Amino acid sequence: MSRSCVLSLLLVALCSSISNAFIAPVSRLPESISPPAERTALKAIDIVEPSYNLAAGSLGLGLIFGIPGSPLKSRVTAILGGIPLTLFALFLAYQTTTLRFTFDESNFSLVKSSGESTGENVVVGGENVWGYDKFVNYDFFPSQSFPILVYFKETQTPAEYWNIGPGESANSEEALAKGAVPGQVHFFPAIGNSNQLLNGFEKHNCAKIE
């Protein structure tokens, strides 16, 4: 199997598992999340514009691996690369359409495009709302100019959950010795405008390890 195909599959698996960690459907708004009109009346809210770049890029890769006449097209690449990437692109397009990241006076949040809550985080529980004063780091991977994943780490989540999943490595003795700060790790696909996300983190003085 080609190296590019392996990397593509790893990206698909990683992003899919990360995305699912954020979403749990609910039919009502919790007390901590007010309807859009009410929230706007109470305090200013910056809504990050959606970005379809990641969905479009995944679709492009899927077509390259699977489109007839492509030099990379074969039965193997179509099944292991083209089909999964195309399906993943549709999944990302759906997420980009239905979810929004917001910044208000005190919190960074993940909400539905209607402004409703996404419910409890299905991995560690609690609302998908994080106070700026609880941030200990944030970043973009592989870079802010070419974002695939957006990362942040916070201490709002109860400490017993910090070592779940990628947190085990991020909070290891080796990581802490290199300057990491203990906390709960979050990753999500870059389905929002990365420049606006960066501006929001900086505007609200979210902690960042340089």
Side-chain angles (χ1 to χ4, degrees):
M1 187 184 304
S2 68
R3 180 179 299 177
S4 60
C5 187
V6 172
L7 291 176
S8 298
L9 290 174
L10 289 175
L11 176 60
V12 169
L14 176 60
C15 290
S16 295
S17 62
I18 291 164
S19 300
N20 290 335
F22 281 96
I23 304 164
V26 292
S27 58
R28 65 180 180 82
L29 292 176
E31 295 180 357
S32 59
I33 303 291
S34 304
E38 181 181 342
R39 293 174 72 196
T40 303
L42 293 175
K43 51 189 176 183
I45 296 176
D46 294 323
I47 301 175
V48 176
E49 294 178 356
S51 172
Y52 289 87
N53 292 343
L54 189 56
S58 297
L59 179 60
L61 285 174
L63 293 176
I64 289 173
F65 283 119
I67 193 170
S70 169
L72 297 178
K73 198 260 184 187
S74 70
R75 181 172 297 181
V76 173
T77 60
I79 294 175
L80 297 182
I83 294 175
L85 282 169
T86 300
L87 293 175
F88 184 54
L90 295 176
F91 170 75
L92 283 175
Y94 174 77
Q95 296 288 70
T96 305
T97 302
T98 58
L99 298 176
R100 295 290 181 273
F101 293 100
T102 66
F103 294 90
D104 63 24
E105 293 176 354
S106 54
N107 299 305
F108 173 61
S109 307
L110 173 69
V111 300
K112 296 180 181 180
S113 57
S114 63
E116 294 180 303
S117 168
T118 54
E120 284 199 352
N121 187 296
V122 297
V123 175
V124 297
E127 293 293 330
N128 290 312
V129 179
W130 304 275
Y132 303 126
D133 60 342
K134 303 301 183 182
F135 272 60
V136 295
N137 198 20
Y138 66 87
D139 211 339
F140 300 85
F141 296 104
S143 70
Q144 193 270 324
S145 60
F146 185 68
I148 293 177
L149 294 175
V150 182
Y151 151 87
F152 69 94
K153 197 175 188 182
E154 44 80 11
T155 58
Q156 178 175 298
T157 301
E160 61 261 31
Y161 297 109
W162 290 0
N163 290 333
I164 293 178
E168 183 176 0
S169 174
N171 294 306
S172 66
E173 292 184 5
E174 181 181 358
L176 298 180
K178 292 180 179 179
V181 178
Q184 175 64 47
V185 173
H186 297 271
F187 288 95
F188 55 83
I191 58 174
N193 184 297
S194 62
N195 289 327
Q196 293 180 6
L197 284 167
L198 177 61
N199 290 339
F201 291 145
E202 292 179 340
K203 174 183 177 181
H204 296 286
N205 298 314
C206 295
K208 178 169 172 46
I209 298 175
E210 299 296 343

